[in-house]
Amino acid sequence: MRALDLKLIRDLRRIWAQSLAIALVLGCGVMVLVLANGSERSLILTRDAYYDRNRFADVFATATRAPEALKGEIAHVEGVAQVDTRIAVNVVLDLPGVQKPAMARVLSLPPDGPPLLNVPLLRLGRMPDPLHPNEVVLSEDFAQANRLIPGETFRAILNGQMRTLTVTGLVLSPEFIYLIGPGTMMPDDQTYGIIWMNRDAVAAATDLSGAFNDIALQLTPTASRDRVIQQLDLLLAPYGGTGAYGRDRQTSDAFLSSELHQLSAMSLILPPIFLIVSAFLVNMVLSRLIALERPQIGLLKAIGYSGQEIATHYLKLSIGIGIIGVALGWIAGAWLGRSMTALYADFYRFPYLLYAPGTWSFVISGILGLVTVIVGALRAVRASARLSPAVAMLPPAAPLFRRGWIDGIGRTFRLRQTTMMILRSITRWPGRASVTLFGVSASVAVLIASFFSFDSMKQMVDEVFYQTNRQDITLTLTGSRLRSTEEAALTLPGVLRVEGAYSLPVRLIHGSKSRLATVEARGDGDVLARLLDTDGHPVRIPPEGLTLSESLAQELAVTPGDTIDMAMLVPPRETVQVPVAAVIRQSLGQSAYMAETPIFALMRQSAQVNQVHLLTDPAALPAFFAAVKRAPGVNSVTLWTDVRDQFDATMNENLMRMTIIYSILGILITVGVVYNAARIQLSERAHELASLRVLGFTRAEVGYVLVGELMLLTTVAIPFGWLGGYGFSTMIASGFSTDLFRIPLVITRKTYALASVITFASALASALIVRRRLDRVNIAMSLKQRQ
Amino acid sequence: MATTVFRMQGITKVYRTGAVDVQALRGIDLELFEGEMVVLLGPSGSGKSTLLNILGGLDTPSAGRAFFRETELTSLGDAGLTAFRRNHVGFVFQFYNLVPSLTARENVALVTEIATKPMRPEEALERVGLADRINHFPAELSGGEQQRVAIARAIAKRPDVLLCDEPTGALDSQTGIVVLQALYDINRDLGTVTALITHNAAIRNIAHRVIYLADGQILRTQENASRAAPSEVSW
Ligand SMILES: Nc1ncnc2c1ncn2[C@@H]1O[C@H](COP(=O)(O)OP(=O)(O)O)[C@@H](O)[C@H]1O
Ligand SMILES: [Mg+2]
């Protein structure tokens, strides 16, 4: 090996702690890239393969009752490649040994083999025998959670009739990768699942022989999806069509897309911080190293090494650091990616979910990592190449300190000379002080941005589950009923309060923008399901016009005062013009709201309900559940208490994991910056500090000069970190917000405080570790040294 | 008359530092001949190092011309000077300037790796009497030993000229003599043109010729009729 390369390796080994500190910061950036990018890629690959193999449909629609003959007509619509019709109904189940009512969606299977589209994938057992009307297959996780293996039976109320069904197999479906019950946000395998059953049996039970109420289309590659949707809506309108939609409104796919969106936001927002900090660190450390090795550089030049060879030498050194960082990042990224994928397996029902980060995410993160260190090194390296050999070998001149405002401060406040040393050093090397400031504030910012997700989640949970939805239970009815249903609901066991609700499926159209939505009718006296404004005060629905959620308004590009077209998708099926009266901010959901009176006036009907919200007595729940399981006309049951608990538990667990990871990332930045700054201080000022010891200063007093400067900088950096953290959180809130969630931007004082304390403590620890080296400095030796 | 290796005509050097100009050299005319050992003698600040640096292509004069054989050094750019140093010059400095992270052998190899017809690092180290210190790091060597490694590094490329700036300046007289002996032997055995800076008058006796500098000018030159051996020098 060449002597110069030997020097390089030994230099790296000598400054290993500093190199490692930089490599760790760099590694964080690389890791997040590999992790986010790799997970995104893995999810996309798996999803696409699964969709392709199991023929996930492109367009979906439901109707109340459409004749099977319509299928042919739909197949002729331009752009339609495949049509698959079926019957779909919600059922309430009575599972053995389960007190709460579980729910399921029953989907029909064609008599002659698997469906054309949305093909279920058999995991265990066999598909139902077309000749046995009571045989069914179940979605795998639901079956497993309820211990329903093939051969077991259970009871379901199908259209008011109790049926005993036999499980023949377990399946997965591309339609239900993310499977959630109506009104919920997270999968609950115990209480919600999918049942596939022979079409004849479902048709008989639902009076839909020769008809369908659910349809899926596959489009040709060149088809215009929106045109097909328009056509399909027209064809289905006479049969109770409630609006066709594409994959973007298909629940499972929408959740998956929002996850992908967040992963890609993560890989855009986080890594740059780490890369920038590591570039600065490389610059700081390399500049110091080059200053220390000035005589050696001069000598190398004197004996005939060219400036370029010397530049290459130091560039290689920083690339060495880069390689270590990239390798650490790769390893951590691949490892975390694996556990992230395991986490996904908890939420997403894929038949297989391989962590396949692909070479690309490694290559790109590796290149970015190396480019970062090279860019960071460039300035220092260029200076080394330019050093004139004759000058380089002269002992460096004593740093030039100037009188200035610092002296005024010193005199005014009668500062000690050790404090003056600190202030002078900061003003003498403003570049290095800035790197420390920048790094520490970046660290505070990363911590705030990670703790902020706790704050915003808490706010969301509070808003969704405690402020706006205060009911214990929501019953969704199979159709619209008269208001008198409220009184009937009040007679159910344990029901303390009933609030009827009505939601109207519509298509909202504004200019070229069109969007399926539900309009919820709101009465003045509603206290359970409420609307809140940004400050958390209940909103009074304006007596006329629509109130839209912010994200819906944005999507339609409307503001209060605009008029939009509202196509009602239930009788009277008219399109009316309505003004937008107000826009409100909501974390979840994309609903529209209207006061009761105008909505039913537009529908030319008397007030109706298709949902009832209930407050219940917990003690009476068993009796209530038993009654609901047998109640006719109940389409689905949402147990808000369960949803709340589950949301809390899942969020806490995952947020905790993420927070731990982000905290480590934040701490690493501080450690990398402060440790390196301290080491450089020490090497630069060993002589000065040793002189202080000679003069009789104690270790503590001398340590104060070293640690004091860094802690002063840290303290100054923290408020900047607050600003940065706020900006960073804003980016995350908007970057992570999707159609499904709007992340509210709330940062509590506790978050600011916690981030500051953690950063301060890790800065202090890093500085103290370096201070300990002061004890080992041999006073006599360091005074003798030439520098 | 031996052939001329170096020729300087009217070399002037002005350092501009801030407001003041320092005239380090004021019109130097000088020739160095094949096989010769020259001592440059003068008080501190008289311009010896500046002169040597210009000879070795480490620095460029403000005015005047300098030639190495047929090459005009003062017409070379940075790349040309680097090549000149790489191929023809060996340097020894007062403060050894060894790379602390490389062993004695590796410090020498630093040069032999980029030279065209070098000797083996071991051979160079043997010449300065350090055969048994080959694998020691600079920190494990005494000052005199470090300086001899520096000399070995300078001669390993078989340079045409050896430029030594106060090589014994940091050494006690006993160690200094060992270092001078090494330089003396190399000049005698390899015929390398050697220019040696010192402000120690006693050393002048080992040279063929002594050049006296003061205040950036050559006061006089003096040929030694008979040279002393380094061991006869004392200070
Ligand atoms: N890089 C430099 N910048 C400014 N002045 C210099 C520089 N190098 C040398 N000098 C000045 O030039 C004069 C000659 O210096 P030098 O050649 O080092 O003398 P010597 O080696 O004889 O002691 C001195 O006055 C010195 O201060
Ligand atoms: Mg000198």
Side-chain angles (χ1 to χ4, degrees):
Chain A
M1 187 180 284
R2 295 190 42 146
L4 214 49
D5 294 330
L6 277 176
K7 167 179 177 306
L8 186 128
I9 288 175
R10 292 190 189 137
D11 278 351
L12 259 182
R13 211 183 299 158
R14 192 166 44 82
I15 56 167
W16 70 267
Q18 284 171 271
S19 312
L20 184 66
I22 301 175
L24 283 173
V25 178
L26 183 70
C28 289
V30 171
M31 179 200 84
V32 175
L33 267 178
V34 169
L35 174 67
N37 206 288
S39 306
E40 190 185 351
R41 200 189 111 102
S42 303
L43 272 184
I44 289 178
L45 280 182
T46 314
R47 179 196 66 181
D48 290 351
Y50 190 24
Y51 279 0
D52 194 47
R53 228 172 284 172
N54 291 62
R55 296 204 289 275
F56 184 53
D58 296 313
V59 170
F60 309 80
T62 56
T64 35
R65 183 195 174 93
E68 192 61 20
L70 194 64
K71 185 178 167 182
E73 222 172 309
I74 293 169
H76 280 107
V77 170
E78 191 191 323
V80 174
Q82 288 271 19
V83 185
D84 201 24
T85 62
R86 65 185 177 189
I87 300 169
V89 285
N90 287 349
V91 295
V92 176
L93 304 178
D94 186 14
L95 296 177
V98 182
Q99 196 184 64
K100 289 177 197 163
M103 274 169 316
R105 189 159 177 81
V106 175
L107 301 177
S108 70
L109 286 170
D112 48 0
L116 288 174
L117 298 175
N118 304 321
V119 184
L121 181 91
L122 189 64
R123 303 272 285 174
L124 187 69
R126 58 169 175 84
M127 294 306 280
D129 182 339
L131 299 177
H132 286 85
N134 285 333
E135 287 189 355
V136 295
V137 290
L138 301 181
S139 54
E140 188 178 35
D141 294 274
F142 170 71
Q144 280 167 352
N146 289 296
R147 295 202 199 76
L148 289 170
I149 53 169
E152 297 278 331
T153 59
F154 63 98
R155 287 187 297 174
I157 303 158
L158 255 175
N159 240 21
Q161 274 184 307
M162 184 70 86
R163 296 272 293 261
T164 299
L165 303 172
T166 307
V167 181
T168 65
L170 310 185
V171 299
L172 287 176
S173 159
E175 271 182 286
F176 306 108
I177 293 173
Y178 192 79
L179 177 55
I180 50 173
T184 64
M185 294 295 298
M186 298 225 166
D188 182 358
D189 295 332
Q190 275 237 295
T191 59
Y192 189 71
I194 307 292
I195 299 173
W196 282 264
M197 171 171 195
N198 289 316
R199 175 118 176 210
D200 288 346
V202 192
T206 53
D207 282 336
L208 283 170
S209 295
F212 66 88
N213 67 2
D214 194 90
I215 183 167
L217 307 182
Q218 194 174 50
L219 304 183
T220 59
T222 56
S224 150
R225 195 194 64 177
D226 290 345
R227 185 117 18 97
V228 172
I229 286 177
Q230 240 172 19
Q231 294 290 316
L232 186 58
D233 276 353
L234 281 179
L235 287 171
L236 286 177
Y239 308 104
T242 48
Y245 52 91
R247 286 182 181 182
D248 55 329
R249 299 273 147 230
Q250 201 267 350
T251 309
S252 161
D253 191 71
F255 269 90
L256 210 51
S257 295
S258 96
E259 183 75 45
L260 289 169
H261 174 82
Q262 294 182 354
L263 282 174
S264 111
M266 178 155 118
S267 64
L268 282 182
I269 297 174
L270 267 186
I273 289 260
F274 292 95
L275 298 187
I276 291 171
V277 172
S278 20
F280 279 128
L281 285 180
V282 168
N283 177 271
M284 185 164 96
V285 168
L286 208 61
S287 300
R288 176 57 191 160
L289 187 69
I290 286 171
L292 270 181
E293 296 192 344
R294 248 168 71 109
Q296 296 181 43
I297 295 170
L299 171 97
L300 288 170
K301 289 202 160 172
I303 62 180
Y305 280 88
S306 66
Q308 195 176 351
E309 282 167 309
I310 287 161
T312 310
H313 173 68
Y314 286 105
L315 214 49
K316 274 193 199 163
L317 186 95
S318 54
I319 289 175
I321 295 175
I323 288 175
I324 297 171
V326 167
L328 289 175
W330 279 353
I331 294 169
W335 179 74
L336 272 177
R338 212 167 288 280
S339 51
M340 185 103 147
T341 312
L343 195 68
Y344 285 143
D346 281 353
F347 284 93
Y348 300 105
R349 313 311 187 198
F350 286 105
Y352 40 82
L353 178 55
L354 296 179
Y355 179 59
T359 21
W360 196 81
S361 57
F362 285 101
V363 168
I364 199 81
S365 61
I367 290 175
L368 276 178
L370 293 185
V371 166
T372 297
V373 290
I374 291 172
V375 168
L378 230 41
R379 227 171 63 108
V381 163
R382 227 175 352 202
S384 80
R386 285 218 206 98
L387 262 183
S388 138
V391 175
M393 278 181 298
L394 297 173
L400 183 63
F401 288 93
R402 286 181 207 284
R403 326 206 116 262
W405 53 275
I406 288 289
D407 301 87
I409 292 182
R411 265 194 310 275
T412 314
F413 295 97
R414 293 164 180 274
L415 297 178
R416 283 173 169 280
Q417 289 316 304
T418 39
T419 306
M420 288 306 290
M421 287 173 75
I422 290 177
L423 294 179
R424 286 230 174 80
S425 156
I426 291 176
T427 48
R428 175 64 186 77
W429 286 281
R432 190 186 313 144
S434 319
V435 173
T436 311
L437 274 179
F438 175 76
V440 173
S441 45
S443 163
V444 174
V446 167
L447 288 175
I448 288 177
S450 81
F451 298 149
F452 137 79
S453 34
F454 263 128
D455 296 341
S456 63
M457 274 303 155
K458 224 178 242 154
Q459 158 97 8
M460 252 168 97
V461 167
D462 186 60
E463 178 193 319
V464 174
F465 295 134
Y466 296 96
Q467 301 301 328
T468 57
N469 291 296
R470 302 198 294 179
Q471 65 274 36
D472 297 327
I473 290 167
T474 296
L475 300 180
T476 304
L477 310 178
T478 45
S480 304
R481 303 288 163 98
L482 293 175
R483 270 326 268 265
S484 56
T485 312
E486 288 182 19
E487 276 111 69
L490 202 50
T491 64
L492 286 169
V495 172
L496 304 176
R497 188 185 175 98
V498 178
E499 205 170 275
Y502 183 80
S503 64
L504 167 69
V506 295
R507 185 179 287 283
L508 297 176
I509 303 150
H510 180 245
S512 61
K513 305 219 160 40
S514 132
R515 180 80 163 63
L516 278 185
T518 57
V519 177
E520 296 186 13
R522 287 300 161 114
D524 272 348
D526 291 355
V527 294
L528 294 182
R530 302 190 302 171
L531 282 185
L532 297 181
D533 63 15
T534 333
D535 303 325
H537 301 305
V539 173
R540 273 193 92 80
I541 291 286
E544 294 294 331
L546 276 173
T547 297
L548 301 181
S549 70
E550 199 180 54
S551 62
L552 190 54
Q554 271 171 13
E555 218 174 299
L556 291 166
V558 293
T559 49
D562 290 346
T563 303
I564 58 176
D565 290 338
M566 179 173 97
M568 291 181 261
L569 298 173
V570 294
R573 292 199 165 270
E574 284 166 5
T575 300
V576 290
Q577 292 211 320
V578 282
V580 176
V583 171
I584 54 167
R585 201 194 58 77
Q586 273 190 315
S587 301
L588 280 184
Q590 282 198 300
S591 289
Y593 305 90
M594 209 176 202
E596 269 180 336
T597 324
I599 211 172
F600 292 114
L602 286 173
M603 294 178 71
R604 295 197 303 276
Q605 280 172 6
S606 58
Q608 309 215 322
V609 297
N610 53 16
Q611 271 189 339
V612 283
H613 303 307
L614 307 175
L615 270 189
T616 51
D617 172 9
L621 277 181
F624 173 83
F625 289 146
V628 163
K629 284 178 188 174
R630 273 159 194 79
V634 173
N635 188 35
S636 70
V637 185
T638 307
L639 303 175
W640 287 93
T641 350
D642 280 18
V643 174
R644 274 169 210 142
D645 292 349
Q646 207 202 350
F647 204 87
D648 277 348
T650 323
M651 277 300 160
N652 280 339
E653 187 191 337
N654 289 322
L655 277 181
M656 193 52 96
R657 261 191 254 192
M658 291 316 275
T659 303
I660 289 173
I661 292 172
Y662 285 140
S663 303
I664 293 174
L665 298 186
I667 289 171
L668 280 180
I669 296 183
T670 300
V671 172
V673 169
V674 174
Y675 181 79
N676 268 310
R679 284 299 297 268
I680 289 172
Q681 289 268 352
L682 184 66
S683 98
E684 226 160 41
R685 306 173 77 181
H687 181 86
E688 192 177 271
L689 299 178
S691 312
L692 287 181
R693 294 277 285 132
V694 173
L695 294 177
F697 283 81
T698 63
R699 283 197 175 136
E701 285 161 338
V702 174
Y704 163 73
V705 176
L706 181 75
V707 177
E709 175 174 340
L710 292 162
M711 295 324 288
L712 176 64
L713 288 174
T714 301
T715 310
V716 173
I718 284 174
F720 288 103
W722 294 340
L723 282 178
Y726 185 84
F728 211 22
S729 304
T730 314
M731 279 165 74
I732 288 182
S734 70
F736 277 40
S737 289
T738 62
D739 288 355
L740 298 168
F741 316 92
R742 301 234 121 190
I743 312 253
L745 181 63
V746 266
I747 308 174
T748 60
R749 263 185 229 164
K750 199 178 124 204
T751 291
Y752 284 117
L754 195 59
S756 312
V757 167
I758 291 179
T759 305
F760 194 87
S762 38
L764 188 61
S766 316
L768 286 177
I769 287 172
V770 176
R771 194 216 62 85
R772 281 189 10 194
R773 295 179 155 255
L774 266 181
D775 301 344
R776 278 187 262 143
V777 170
N778 181 324
I779 302 173
M781 280 292 283
S782 59
L783 283 181
K784 250 190 241 158
Q785 271 171 10
R786 203 151 60 93
Q787 319 204 353
Chain B
M1 184 80 191
T3 35
T4 306
V5 178
F6 275 110
R7 191 153 48 86
M8 286 185 146
Q9 296 170 339
I11 292 290
T12 304
K13 177 75 183 180
V14 183
Y15 287 112
R16 291 211 162 72
T17 45
V20 283
D21 285 2
V22 179
Q23 273 270 353
L25 297 175
R26 314 161 182 265
I28 299 277
D29 298 315
L30 172 72
E31 280 185 312
L32 296 186
F33 304 107
E34 201 72 76
E36 163 176 62
M37 178 179 251
V38 176
V39 163
L40 293 168
L41 199 64
S44 186
S46 56
K48 305 182 297 290
S49 297
T50 306
L51 180 61
L52 199 78
N53 287 347
I54 293 173
L55 275 178
L58 283 182
D59 211 343
T60 49
S62 312
R65 304 172 77 188
F67 294 87
F68 170 74
R69 301 197 205 280
E70 274 72 52
T71 316
E72 185 181 348
L73 294 179
T74 36
S75 72
L76 295 179
D78 184 57
L81 286 176
T82 300
F84 164 65
R85 295 196 299 265
R86 183 187 283 225
N87 298 323
H88 303 288
V89 190
F91 282 103
V92 179
F93 301 100
Q94 179 179 359
F95 293 107
Y96 335 132
N97 277 322
L98 298 181
V99 176
S101 57
L102 297 180
T103 62
R105 200 189 61 75
E106 290 158 357
N107 261 288
V108 178
L110 212 45
V111 167
T112 57
E113 280 166 1
I114 58 167
T116 42
K117 44 178 198 338
M119 51 179 94
R120 289 182 304 111
E122 291 78 2
E123 187 189 336
L125 284 164
E126 263 166 47
R127 278 190 178 278
V128 295
L130 284 179
D132 55 340
R133 290 283 191 275
I134 279 181
N135 289 319
H136 288 229
F137 283 97
E140 300 165 335
L141 298 170
S142 72
E145 286 170 332
Q146 290 188 50
Q147 191 58 300
R148 280 187 283 156
V149 173
I151 294 172
R153 185 178 59 190
I155 61 161
K157 68 165 81 152
R158 303 182 202 276
D160 296 307
V161 286
L162 198 53
L163 303 176
C164 314
D165 193 344
E166 307 210 23
T168 59
L171 303 175
D172 60 74
S173 99
Q174 226 172 347
T175 332
I177 286 166
V178 179
V179 167
L180 288 178
Q181 188 68 54
L183 292 171
Y184 189 91
D185 294 347
I186 286 151
N187 173 257
R188 187 193 56 210
D189 301 347
L190 305 176
T192 314
V193 183
T194 305
L196 197 160
I197 287 182
T198 180
H199 57 247
N200 181 347
I203 292 175
R204 70 177 186 274
N205 295 327
I206 67 167
H208 294 112
R209 206 150 56 102
V210 186
I211 297 173
Y212 291 88
L213 259 86
D215 202 17
Q217 285 172 311
I218 295 180
L219 281 186
R220 61 196 167 92
T221 58
Q222 171 203 325
E223 306 252 353
N224 281 336
S226 67
R227 298 168 71 197
S231 54
E232 299 167 51
V233 177
S234 67
W235 64 86

